[in-house]
């Protein structure tokens, strides 16, 4: 519940709050300012959205080795992610089954066991309780280690990232992602390697950052340099069924600046992937910019209504020769950091306007902002649904017939999955 300045209480879980979002795109408005700036809204959103969604928590390569142990906060719950001796990815609630103590407070590597620092209870990497020192000195009849395993949390990988979900009722990750794994299968993400990481704390709500990523309306004014290699007229939508919003630049041009094409292509890309940049915002908190020879991935960690930590990773295909790791990767990373800084500046300004001015939501552009409408309806679904088992609509993808809203005419190198889908639907 929230209290607007004029008194009364707003119920963020009621469809009434989302009426502007629920209208068709050509009548829809953006989200009300309180959805970005309200601490009450943030609280409800943590529970209803982040504690029930598949949330990106790490690069897959961060937990590639058995015994690596990551700590992440998801929807206000502390979660451990590890890989057991059999290579199985595991997620647990970060709380000891004895008296609830936090097991670890930072990423680390353990040899065989996760040890509680308090009374040294020890858990194998599959979560089972395997040590409880001195506990048997005066035995209890009801003490059964098999009932005192760490509480499991759903954890899965797709592509470049690890996802966890705190709610058993939420559909499986494969359903969540829809056609995205098949759509991007040609990149062979399993073999990609995290090359450089950096973090930024941004004074803006997390939704502003992903929404900004989802539209290229701002391209020419916010990123004059990027617009030289990623021209507005070369953008098309890149959306099949699934909880993501996507666009593609086809072709990526190298005639004016080539700093995002200096790295060699991943092997075996088809005629569409090899000439395109894919820009995909996976709901809720991951953005992927995938070029033929590298990817720049941002994971958003909401810290408060007005602060978001960006975890940025530059990834390269494993085929990239080591001699390219120096200058070419550095040049690529520098390019992305510059672009990202421009985005951070405009998102912080956007947040200030909403927080300190708070104009009512305006119209979304049907030409450029359909992905935001798609995203905002996913947010609305999470906030209003009693359960994500049936309350979350997986949006359908684009069809062949939506005309200029999907780009500037037909994509000259249509993604193969769309070519197949569209010819099947006639
Ligand atoms: S609280 Fe963990 S061993 Fe006692
Ligand atoms: Fe941007």
């Amino acid at each position: 519940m929230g209290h607007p300045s004029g008194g009364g209480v707003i119920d963020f879980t009621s469809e009434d709050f989302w009426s502007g979002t629920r209208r068709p795109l050509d009548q829809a408005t953006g989200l009300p300012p309180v959805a970005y700036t309200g601490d009450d809204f943030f609280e409800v959103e943590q529970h209803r959205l982040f504690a029930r969604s598949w949330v990106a928590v790490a690069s897959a390569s961060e937990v590639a080795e058995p015994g690596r142990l990551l700590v992440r906060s998801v929807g206000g719950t502390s979660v451990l992610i590890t890989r057991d001796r059999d290579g199985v990815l595991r997620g647990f609630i970060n709380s000891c089954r004895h008296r609830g103590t936090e097991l670890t407070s930072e990423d680390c590597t353990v040899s065989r066991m996760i040890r509680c620092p308090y009374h040294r209870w020890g858990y194998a990497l599959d979560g089972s309780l395997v040590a409880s020192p001195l506990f048997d000195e005066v035995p209890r009849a009801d003490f059964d280690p098999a009932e005192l395993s760490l509480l499991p949390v759903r954890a899965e990988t797709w592509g470049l990232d690890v996802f966890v979900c705190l709610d058993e009722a939420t559909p499986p990750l494969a359903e969540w992602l829809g056609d995205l794994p098949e759509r991007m299968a040609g990149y062979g993400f399993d073999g990609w390697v995290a090359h450089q990481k950096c973090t930024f704390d941004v004074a803006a709500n997390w939704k502003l950052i992903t929404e900004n990523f989802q539209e290229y309306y701002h391209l020419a004014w916010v990123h004059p340099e990027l617009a030289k290699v990623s021209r507005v007229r070369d953008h098309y939508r890149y959306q099949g069924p699934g909880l993501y919003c996507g666009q593609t630049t086809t072709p990526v041009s190298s005639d004016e600046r080539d700093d995002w094409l200096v790295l060699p292509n991943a092997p075996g890309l088809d005629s569409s992937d090899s000439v395109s940049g894919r820009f995909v915002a996976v709901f809720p908190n991951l953005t992927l910019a995938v070029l033929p020879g590298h990817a720049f991935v941002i994971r958003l960690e909401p810290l408060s209504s007005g602060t978001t930590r960006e975890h940025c990773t530059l990834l390269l295909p494993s085929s990239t020769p080591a001699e390219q790791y120096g200058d070419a990767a550095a040049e690529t990373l520098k390019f992305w950091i510059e672009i990202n800084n421009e985005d951070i500046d405009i998102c912080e300004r956007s947040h200030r306007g909403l927080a300190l001015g708070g104009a009512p939501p305006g119209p979304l552009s049907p030409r450029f902002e359909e992905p935001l409408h798609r995203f905002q309806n996913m947010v609305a679904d999470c906030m209003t649904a009693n359960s994500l088992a049936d309350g979350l609509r997986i949006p359908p993808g684009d069809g062949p017939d939506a005309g200029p809203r999907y780009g500037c005419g037909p994509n000259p190198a249509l993604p193969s999955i769309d070519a197949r889908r569209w010819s099947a639907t006639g």
Side-chain angles (χ1 to χ4, degrees), residues 209-222:
I209 300 172
T210 181
E211 287 173 0
N212 174 70
F213 178 88
Q214 292 164 22
E215 53 93 351
Y216 54 92
Y217 192 10
H218 69 276
L219 195 59
W221 305 292
V222 173

Side-chain angles (χ1 to χ4, degrees), residues 212-213 215-216 218-219 222-223 226 339-340 342-344 346:
N212 174 70
F213 178 88
E215 53 93 351
Y216 54 92
H218 69 276
L219 195 59
V222 173
H223 309 295
L226 177 62
I339 303 298
N340 196 43
E342 292 166 352
D343 281 322
I344 288 174
I346 202 68

Side-chain angles (χ1 to χ4, degrees), residues 165-179:
C165 178
L166 295 177
D167 191 340
E168 284 298 324
T170 300
L173 181 65
E175 208 173 306
W176 189 269
L177 296 172
D179 77 348

Side-chain angles (χ1 to χ4, degrees), residues 28-104:
T29 46
L31 302 181
V34 69
Y36 301 100
T37 63
D39 293 338
D40 294 356
F41 186 97
F42 184 81
E43 186 98 344
V44 178
E45 184 184 66
Q46 284 288 298
H47 288 110
R48 293 188 76 98
L49 194 157
F50 280 94
R52 304 197 295 182
S53 294
W54 282 99
V55 178
V57 291
S59 294
S61 58
E62 286 181 83
V63 64
E65 300 301 325
R68 187 67 189 154
L69 188 61
L70 310 181
V71 192
R72 297 291 183 270
S73 175
V74 177
T77 295
S78 183
V79 173
L80 299 176
I81 302 107
T82 191
R83 196 170 286 284
D84 71 18
R85 296 283 147 201
D86 297 326
V88 178
L89 188 73
R90 304 274 185 175
F92 305 111
I93 302 290
N94 185 11
S95 180
C96 179
R97 294 300 308 275
H98 176 217
R99 277 167 48 207
T101 301
E102 172 187 78
L103 294 163
T104 181

Side-chain angles (χ1 to χ4, degrees), residues 102-162:
E102 172 187 78
L103 294 163
T104 181
S105 56
E106 50 190 43
D107 294 359
C108 57
T109 299
V110 296
S111 55
R112 312 200 62 79
M113 241 188 271
I114 303 168
R115 280 277 191 186
C116 177
Y118 205 165
H119 314 98
R120 301 296 286 173
W121 282 25
Y123 302 88
L125 296 174
D126 67 0
S128 53
L129 178 64
V130 291
S132 47
L134 311 182
F135 200 83
D136 277 346
E137 293 206 346
V138 178
R140 290 178 57 130
D142 63 352
F143 183 72
D144 180 2
E147 289 179 358
L148 293 167
S149 298
L150 294 178
L151 300 172
V153 171
R154 301 164 82 188
E156 287 191 46
T157 49
W158 166 65
L160 304 171
D161 281 82
V162 176

Side-chain angles (χ1 to χ4, degrees), residues 42-388:
F42 184 81
E43 186 98 344
V44 178
E45 184 184 66
Q46 284 288 298
H47 288 110
R48 293 188 76 98
L49 194 157
F50 280 94
R52 304 197 295 182
S53 294
W54 282 99
V55 178
V57 291
S59 294
S61 58
E62 286 181 83
V63 64
E65 300 301 325
R68 187 67 189 154
L69 188 61
L70 310 181
V71 192
R72 297 291 183 270
S73 175
V74 177
T77 295
S78 183
V79 173
L80 299 176
I81 302 107
T82 191
R83 196 170 286 284
D84 71 18
R85 296 283 147 201
D86 297 326
V88 178
L89 188 73
R90 304 274 185 175
F92 305 111
I93 302 290
N94 185 11
S95 180
C96 179
R97 294 300 308 275
H98 176 217
R99 277 167 48 207
T101 301
E102 172 187 78
L103 294 163
T104 181
S105 56
E106 50 190 43
D107 294 359
C108 57
T109 299
V110 296
S111 55
R112 312 200 62 79
M113 241 188 271
I114 303 168
R115 280 277 191 186
C116 177
Y118 205 165
H119 314 98
R120 301 296 286 173
W121 282 25
Y123 302 88
L125 296 174
D126 67 0
S128 53
L129 178 64
V130 291
S132 47
L134 311 182
F135 200 83
D136 277 346
E137 293 206 346
V138 178
R140 290 178 57 130
D142 63 352
F143 183 72
D144 180 2
E147 289 179 358
L148 293 167
S149 298
L150 294 178
L151 300 172
V153 171
R154 301 164 82 188
E156 287 191 46
T157 49
W158 166 65
L160 304 171
D161 281 82
V162 176
F163 300 80
V164 303
C165 178
L166 295 177
D167 191 340
E168 284 298 324
T170 300
L173 181 65
E175 208 173 306
W176 189 269
L177 296 172
D179 77 348
L180 198 53
E182 184 187 353
R183 175 172 291 271
M184 305 197 86
Y187 291 95
F189 284 142
D190 286 347
W192 289 44
V193 180
H195 183 72
Q196 295 253 16
K197 293 186 182 42
C198 45
T199 59
F200 301 95
D201 282 356
V202 182
N205 183 266
W206 69 275
K207 294 188 292 301
L208 292 175
I209 300 172
T210 181
E211 287 173 0
N212 174 70
F213 178 88
Q214 292 164 22
E215 53 93 351
Y216 54 92
Y217 192 10
H218 69 276
L219 195 59
W221 305 292
V222 173
H223 309 295
E225 285 298 310
L226 177 62
K228 291 178 183 174
V229 283
S230 179
R231 297 173 300 195
V232 168
R233 68 169 184 273
D234 294 329
H235 280 69
Y236 306 88
R237 294 245 295 274
Y238 184 69
Q239 293 179 161
L243 290 170
Y244 68 93
C245 302
Q247 48 179 300
T248 173
T249 306
T250 307
V252 281
S253 151
S254 61
D255 47 1
E256 293 207 46
R257 285 188 66 156
D258 63 359
D259 28 5
W260 75 352
L261 294 174
V262 291
L263 287 159
N265 283 11
L269 297 184
D270 69 17
S271 58
S272 178
D273 291 342
S274 61
V275 297
S276 299
R278 314 299 197 190
F279 304 93
V280 176
V282 182
F283 183 78
N285 70 322
L286 187 70
T287 71
L288 309 171
V290 180
L291 279 291
H294 73 272
F296 187 72
V297 175
I298 304 179
R299 178 168 59 83
L300 301 175
E301 179 186 2
L303 301 177
S304 69
S305 61
T307 323
T308 305
R309 184 160 295 158
E310 290 189 348
H311 300 266
C312 305
T313 311
L314 178 73
L315 295 111
L316 306 179
S318 55
S319 57
T320 306
E323 60 266 26
Q324 303 274 355
Y325 284 7
D327 291 352
E331 192 179 341
T332 305
L333 185 64
K334 179 166 167 284
F335 180 80
W336 280 113
I337 299 290
E338 279 172 25
I339 303 298
N340 196 43
N341 282 338
E342 292 166 352
D343 281 322
I344 288 174
D345 282 350
I346 202 68
C347 288
E348 291 186 336
R349 182 175 285 248
S350 183
H351 191 94
R352 288 198 300 276
L354 291 162
L356 305 175
L364 293 175
S365 157
R367 166 70 175 84
F368 294 106
E369 291 173 323
E370 186 277 348
L372 277 70
H373 187 239
R374 180 170 155 119
F375 166 78
Q376 291 171 357
N377 273 281
M378 295 174 200
V379 175
D381 285 353
C382 288
M383 293 293 278
T384 57
N386 287 326
S387 165
L388 298 196

